[in-house]
Amino acid sequence: MTAVTDQDNSNGSGSGGGKSDAEAPDRGADGRWDDGLIARRAAAAEAREAGEAAPRTPADDDEEPQVEAYVPSGGPLPPRLDALRELVGLSRARLDRDTLAEAGRVLDEAAARQRLSSRHTVIAVAGATGSGKSTLFNALAGAPISDTGLRRPTTSQPIACSWTDGAAGLLDRLAVPGRLRRRPHPGPATLDEALQGLVLVDLPDHDSAATEHRDQVDRVLALVDAVIWVVDPEKYADAALHERYLRPLAGHAEVTFVVLNQTDRLPGEAADLVLDDLRRLLDEDGIALGEHGEPGATVMSLSALTGDGVPELREMVGRFVQDRTAATRRLWADVDAAAARLRPVYVAEGRPGLGERARDEFTDRLAEAVGAAAAGQAAEREWRRNAGRACGTPWLRLWRWYENRGLPGSLDRMGQALTPPEEELTARQRVEQAVRIVADDAADGLPGPWAQAVREAAFNGAKGLSEALDELAVKAGAPGASKRGGRTETGHGAIAGTSPGAPRGGRPAKPPRPKWWPAAVLAQVSMTLLQIFGGLWLVGQIIGVLEPGLVTPALIMLAGVVGGPLVEWSCAAAIRGPARRYGQDAERRLREAAAGCGRARVLDPVAAELVRYREVRERYVTVTEFSTTGR
């Protein structure tokens, strides 16, 4: 018998330029031309006149609406594909092209399959050299479509057999030449309603010595809806089959048939023993076996040569085809496989992030690097110094003025000295260390690409951080901050805080005076006047201008001498609390300024990267339908 070529084939499909069946029809069993539209209508009219049901033709199938079975309304697959598409789009800037290549291929193939017929199920028959896959292909088709024999390889290109019309687009996608597209010969196989919609493809040998044959097998296996693996008793445990195909496609078990062929060569119970060993190997490959009603691969034994077991396989394939879910299952498994490959770049270990503790530690390290505590102490000393100048005795103030003016190493001059280069370098290193530590804390547990992105965001933001903070110190008028030669230098090597009313230009702001300072100044002036008055009185008595009487002027002068230090001591005791609070407030403002600059330049970019990672992780959870921490 000869096979009938598929009527769907176009003139230009494939190589060889063969004509389609519509242009080169064959005769039916009764010798009439029965594949033309007029002939089919005539046959239908004759059947109606004879009172019989009109035969169902392939053209009738084409009139039915083609609804994509693998994209049901409200089904779970479209959201997974949409999430995968969003996942790839959000990750292009963070992951390399090779990492996203498989996911992109799955999206492209899903879109291509959706545009084609959903009424057809494409099943490939694959196997090793001499396994009998072509014989099984012919047995299912009911005609010797594919060549069989001792010469190897007997199958050099994919050969397709379509039970119904409308599969031309699917075969074009598989790149099956038009001259190799067949229809089953009229007979039981053609009339089997369960096989309507089946597109069976016989592949070259996957272990062929010809490289182009293996490439064709790999290409077609990535596009078909299901595959029937044909193994024989000699090569069923072949490592090349299990390691290259079965094990990587373990997640596609629901669209996989594994057939042990040539059981007629096994004596007695040997076929059952070999089948059990095959099941064991498949289990080791991670392939779920469809036993006891559970989803998984179909495993069975048969003999394509004698026909033993072929009807059972045809029945299983028929149910599989009529279920109309093969494309859905295949795409679902493809998405699972792509998600499994992407897992290392999306699933974090633990709960990465930038917590409050890490933020506070970053602020503490930054404050330590800029000398916030020293700045607070300097502000406190400045407060006390101003109080001493305002409330101290004139003689002590005069002495301090003379001391500070006469000694080159005085405290005031030391306070205005610039920071040595070594100390400035140490402060810069402290800032860099603080950035490095917070970046490591934020990236801890993240997948490699996202951890690298977080560190890059932190280090890029830290560029110029020390200079920016130094500029803040100059604008704030921090003690010891100045500009020399266009470069900012601070007394603490990094930055200083802002203070209310701080003038620009590096001039420190004077601490505010309490309301009681005028009274203390007035009291000190009074004590000074008493000293002067008593002293003049005594001088007048000595030179004889005034009447003698040493007691009264001495007591007045003694009151001024004792009262001045007493007023100064009282003021010193009274300013301890305000001075301490002023220093703490200056330290707090300095910490806040450093924290604000560090947050804007380092913490916010790091937080943005973490938000981006959480967003893509949510998409990944939608793709996998599993929790990233529970899988």
Side-chain angles (χ1 to χ4, degrees):
M1 293 184 293
T2 60
V4 180
T5 308
D6 187 359
Q7 297 179 10
D8 270 348
N9 298 337
S10 60
N11 295 337
S13 16
S15 60
K19 294 183 178 181
S20 66
D21 283 347
E23 296 176 315
D26 289 346
R27 293 180 181 272
D30 56 359
R32 294 183 302 172
W33 298 103
D34 59 356
D35 61 344
L37 177 61
I38 298 177
R40 287 197 296 271
R41 290 180 177 176
E46 293 178 1
R48 285 194 298 271
E49 293 177 359
E52 300 175 356
R56 185 179 180 86
T57 65
D60 296 334
D61 292 336
D62 291 339
E63 297 175 358
E64 297 179 0
Q66 298 186 8
V67 180
E68 302 301 333
Y70 58 90
V71 191
S73 178
L77 183 59
R80 295 188 72 193
L81 293 174
D82 293 340
L84 182 60
R85 188 175 297 105
E86 294 177 2
L87 181 67
V88 171
L90 292 173
S91 304
R92 292 190 187 277
R94 297 296 178 268
L95 302 180
D96 57 86
R97 183 178 301 178
D98 294 339
T99 303
L100 300 174
E102 179 63 19
R105 186 197 67 81
V106 170
L107 292 173
D108 293 341
E109 297 304 334
R113 185 65 179 89
Q114 183 177 1
R115 291 191 295 266
L116 300 174
S117 172
S118 64
R119 298 181 297 113
H120 292 80
T121 301
V122 183
I123 302 179
V125 182
T129 303
S131 62
K133 60 179 180 58
S134 296
T135 303
L136 179 60
F137 177 85
N138 293 335
L140 292 175
I145 296 177
S146 183
D147 294 336
T148 61
L150 298 177
R151 183 178 61 86
R152 298 288 182 256
T154 56
T155 305
S156 58
Q157 288 184 315
I159 301 175
C161 180
S162 177
W163 266 252
T164 55
D165 294 335
L170 294 171
L171 297 178
D172 290 341
R173 180 168 174 251
L174 300 180
V176 177
R179 59 187 175 82
L180 297 180
R181 303 181 185 185
R182 303 288 189 267
R183 293 289 296 274
H185 193 276
T190 307
L191 300 178
D192 191 347
E193 290 291 335
L195 298 181
Q196 301 303 309
L198 172 62
V199 179
L200 201 62
V201 181
D202 186 19
L203 299 180
D205 302 332
H206 69 77
D207 60 348
S208 174
T211 305
E212 59 272 15
H213 293 179
R214 298 196 301 269
D215 294 341
Q216 290 190 53
V217 172
D218 296 341
R219 177 184 57 81
V220 175
L221 286 179
L223 303 177
V224 296
D225 301 330
V227 59
I228 299 176
W229 287 102
V230 183
V231 298
D232 60 88
E234 294 180 357
K235 296 183 179 181
Y236 74 93
D238 185 19
L241 170 65
H242 290 268
E243 294 177 3
R244 185 176 181 183
Y245 294 105
L246 296 180
R247 195 168 301 164
L249 295 176
H252 296 70
E254 293 189 32
V255 292
T256 301
F257 295 79
V258 182
V259 176
L260 176 62
N261 193 18
Q262 302 177 4
T263 55
D264 56 298
R265 298 168 50 190
L266 299 175
E269 299 179 354
D272 294 336
L273 296 177
V274 174
L275 185 62
D276 291 340
D277 192 49
L278 174 60
R279 292 177 182 273
R280 178 187 62 81
L281 293 175
L282 295 176
D283 185 67
E284 293 179 356
D285 292 335
I287 298 179
L289 304 181
E291 299 175 335
H292 311 293
E294 298 177 355
T298 300
V299 184
M300 62 178 300
S301 61
L302 53 78
S303 174
L305 186 62
T306 64
D308 185 22
V310 174
E312 289 78 2
L313 176 61
R314 182 182 288 110
E315 181 180 357
M316 292 180 182
V317 171
R319 291 198 301 267
F320 184 79
V321 170
Q322 294 306 313
D323 193 34
R324 307 290 191 192
T325 60
T328 304
R329 296 181 186 181
R330 172 59 196 258
L331 291 177
W332 187 275
D334 287 344
V335 173
D336 286 342
R341 292 188 179 182
L342 293 175
R343 178 180 173 82
V345 298
Y346 288 116
V347 179
E349 299 177 0
R351 298 178 63 87
L354 196 60
E356 291 298 327
R357 181 177 178 181
R359 293 174 179 269
D360 293 341
E361 291 179 353
F362 174 70
T363 301
D364 293 340
R365 293 188 181 96
L366 213 58
E368 181 182 359
V370 302
Q377 295 173 2
E380 183 178 352
R381 287 195 301 269
E382 183 70 16
W383 178 286
R384 291 188 177 186
R385 187 181 298 113
N386 291 342
R389 292 172 180 173
C391 303
T393 61
W395 324 117
L396 183 59
R397 293 170 57 186
L398 182 62
W399 171 254
R400 289 174 178 171
W401 173 82
Y402 174 77
E403 184 182 35
N404 294 336
R405 185 179 181 85
L407 298 178
S410 63
L411 294 178
D412 287 346
R413 291 182 178 273
M414 291 179 62
Q416 297 174 1
L418 297 178
T419 303
E422 295 80 6
E423 184 178 347
E424 183 178 359
L425 180 61
T426 302
R428 185 180 299 275
Q429 291 175 346
R430 289 180 179 177
V431 173
E432 294 175 355
Q433 182 184 21
V435 173
R436 183 170 58 255
I437 292 176
V438 75
D440 292 341
D441 290 342
D444 185 30
L446 284 175
W450 301 101
Q452 181 65 22
V454 167
R455 291 189 177 93
E456 289 180 357
F459 295 149
N460 291 336
K463 293 179 180 178
L465 177 61
S466 297
E467 290 77 3
L469 297 177
D470 284 339
E471 192 69 24
L472 285 178
V474 176
K475 293 180 179 180
S482 62
K483 267 192 174 182
R484 295 293 180 86
R487 184 173 60 90
T488 304
E489 300 179 1
T490 65
H492 303 290
I495 67 168
T498 58
S499 58
R504 296 182 181 270
R507 303 178 60 184
K510 294 183 178 180
R513 295 187 175 186
K515 295 181 179 180
W516 51 266
W517 273 24
V521 172
L522 180 61
Q524 194 63 260
V525 171
S526 301
M527 295 300 103
T528 303
L529 292 177
L530 287 177
Q531 295 178 36
I532 296 174
F533 179 74
L536 292 176
W537 194 344
L538 289 176
V539 171
Q541 290 181 354
I542 293 174
I543 64 177
V545 177
L546 299 176
E547 297 181 359
L550 300 177
V551 177
T552 301
L555 291 176
I556 293 175
M557 186 175 180
L558 180 62
V561 171
V562 175
L566 183 62
V567 171
E568 183 177 1
W569 178 83
S570 301
C571 291
I575 66 175
R576 290 177 183 175
R580 185 180 301 108
R581 289 191 295 272
Y582 180 77
Q584 293 174 351
D585 188 55
E587 180 181 358
R588 177 185 57 80
R589 290 195 301 269
L590 187 58
R591 289 175 59 91
E592 290 178 353
C597 193
R599 179 173 58 253
R601 288 177 171 264
V602 178
L603 297 184
D604 288 349
V606 168
E609 286 296 331
L610 293 174
V611 169
R612 186 185 185 95
Y613 167 72
R614 284 192 290 269
E615 185 176 359
V616 298
R617 187 181 60 181
E618 291 175 359
R619 298 297 189 280
Y620 181 78
V621 171
T622 304
V623 172
T624 59
E625 290 194 336
F626 291 101
S627 172
T628 56
T629 59
R631 187 179 175 185

